[in-house]
Amino acid sequence: MHTWRSVLAIATLGAVLAGCGGNASTEEPAAAAGPWSFTSGNGEVVTAEKVPSRIIAHAGEAAALISFGIKPVGVYADESVKTDLNLKDLDLTGITILGEEWGKIDVEKAASLAPDLIVGDWWPAEKAYSGLEEGVDEKSKKLTELAPIAGVTQGESIADLAEGYEQLAKSLGAKVDDPQIAANKQRYEKAVEAFKAATAAKPNLTAAGMSPTDEKVYVANPKYAPELLDFQRWGLKVLDPAAPDKDFPYWETLSWENADKYQPDLILWDGRAYKDTLNAEFGKKQPTWFEIKAAKAGAVTAWPAYWLHTYEDFATELEKLTTVINGADENIGD
């Protein structure tokens, strides 16, 4: 399984997943005849004689397209579509589910859909598209033989990711100035301004992406976490770990004996596995967790790690985090 994205979904965390929004119309828009082109996240220009209309997409990318009114014919996910944070609240009627486990895609079923485009995020550190990275079933990789593949890079900003999918959707015929779509973007923009105001009012507040498992404690490296980079850009002092793992620098892995190496004022817990009771549970199982002052004080909240794709979901998560920041104590980690 995909190490850096799955490490904190280990069964010991008992992941309880939060909901996500997505209410834009899913009626497929009328697209221009073509030709069509899009510069994908890997820098390659993907072209077609006609504007693609039969699209297969990875889960989050499907949610992004749906938010702009583009309905894929097929979706493949890394887990059940009922729990996937991007999909769990969306109407998937009429969409063929091609996989609900990372690295396992039903390519024969996908072929029956006659796709003319595959959409997935481009992951630069792994030089692969979502669900097609190293370690997946070789059969799954044959998905790329069915149609061209394109997507937006998972880079330095979720804001850029959402904007990239807006541009992709527009190229596919979406009316991105639709009032409901425009309202979602405006809500997101207001959420960003409120977040900036909250961090400006707490200039000394420090935060860290930290998540424990039964074996280790993981500290997120913002360099590989676009949400955290956005938070830093907007004024939140998210710490950069001193010694990210050399083989997989998305995290710095700490032993439980060194769990208190960092003392932030606020712990941002991987939102794919976060639930309110986990902080207390780990404090009972691993006493050194409470040697982190923020954990002891209960200054722990969810960070929307690696799943956001839409303006609406980003707005929701920013609004939650802004409320937490407004009530946070800047002096816990001192």
Side-chain angles (χ1 to χ4, degrees):
M1 192 173 180
H2 202 305
T3 306
W4 64 268
R5 272 186 282 168
S6 63
V7 67
L8 298 175
I10 296 171
T12 54
L13 281 178
V16 174
L17 301 171
C20 63
N23 299 313
S25 169
T26 57
E27 293 299 318
E28 188 173 330
W36 174 85
S37 68
F38 181 77
T39 302
S40 193
N42 62 357
E44 295 182 4
V45 178
V46 182
T47 62
E49 292 182 1
K50 298 189 300 182
V51 175
S53 60
R54 298 189 61 78
I55 300 166
I56 289 174
H58 183 249
E61 298 82 306
L65 294 176
I66 290 170
S67 76
F68 293 111
I70 302 288
K71 186 174 183 178
V73 296
V75 168
Y76 62 98
D78 297 341
E79 60 181 282
S80 169
V81 297
K82 294 180 180 179
T83 59
D84 186 289
L85 286 167
N86 283 287
L87 299 175
K88 66 184 296 288
D89 291 331
L90 295 183
D91 179 5
L92 302 180
T93 303
I95 298 176
T96 300
I97 307 304
L98 302 170
E100 296 182 88
E101 180 181 351
W102 182 81
K104 295 185 182 297
I105 304 169
D106 190 332
V107 176
E108 289 186 4
K109 186 182 290 186
S112 73
L113 299 175
D116 49 20
L117 182 67
I118 312 295
V119 175
D121 289 344
W122 173 255
W123 297 90
E126 294 163 308
K127 295 180 173 59
Y129 287 98
S130 294
L132 301 169
E133 305 92 337
E134 182 179 353
V136 308
D137 285 355
E138 288 302 313
K139 292 181 180 178
S140 297
K141 292 184 178 181
K142 293 184 180 295
L143 182 71
T144 59
E145 298 176 6
L146 304 181
I149 184 166
V152 182
T153 187
Q154 273 277 359
E156 297 182 353
S157 171
I158 291 297
D160 290 348
L161 186 75
E163 183 176 342
Y165 279 108
E166 180 179 4
Q167 295 306 312
L168 176 57
K170 186 176 181 179
S171 79
L172 295 169
K175 295 179 175 61
V176 297
D177 57 352
D178 174 89
Q180 184 173 344
I181 293 172
N184 287 336
K185 188 172 183 179
Q186 290 169 2
R187 178 182 163 216
Y188 154 77
E189 291 169 345
K190 290 180 180 178
V192 171
E193 293 308 310
F195 184 93
K196 289 179 179 179
T199 58
K202 299 281 178 72
N204 298 314
L205 183 71
T206 60
M210 299 179 68
S211 289
T213 69
D214 283 347
E215 293 79 23
K216 303 286 184 179
V217 176
Y218 295 90
V219 181
N221 182 4
K223 182 179 179 181
Y224 294 92
E227 308 89 1
L228 298 183
L229 286 176
D230 282 333
F231 297 162
Q232 287 181 333
R233 191 174 297 115
W234 297 332
L236 182 61
K237 291 182 171 62
V238 182
L239 69 82
D240 297 295
D245 300 345
K246 291 182 179 180
D247 58 339
F248 228 79
Y250 292 91
W251 311 94
E252 178 179 352
T253 304
L254 302 178
S255 67
W256 273 105
E257 290 76 14
N258 296 315
D260 61 345
K261 178 177 179 179
Y262 302 106
Q263 292 289 350
D265 299 311
L266 178 64
I267 294 172
L268 306 177
W269 196 312
D270 187 329
R272 298 164 300 174
Y274 177 83
K275 62 178 181 177
D276 291 339
T277 59
L278 277 176
N279 186 55
E281 290 172 13
F282 272 97
K284 292 178 180 177
K285 289 193 294 185
Q286 299 283 359
T288 52
W289 177 243
F290 277 167
E291 290 181 11
I292 306 171
K293 297 174 185 177
K296 181 68 173 178
V300 179
T301 192
W303 143 51
Y306 305 111
W307 65 270
L308 289 172
H309 280 78
T310 72
Y311 291 123
E312 185 177 7
D313 287 339
F314 206 176
T316 297
E317 296 302 318
L318 281 174
E319 288 163 357
K320 292 177 184 176
L321 190 51
T322 297
T323 298
V324 171
I325 291 171
N326 283 331
D329 183 348
E330 298 175 276
N331 302 306
I332 288 177
D334 294 345

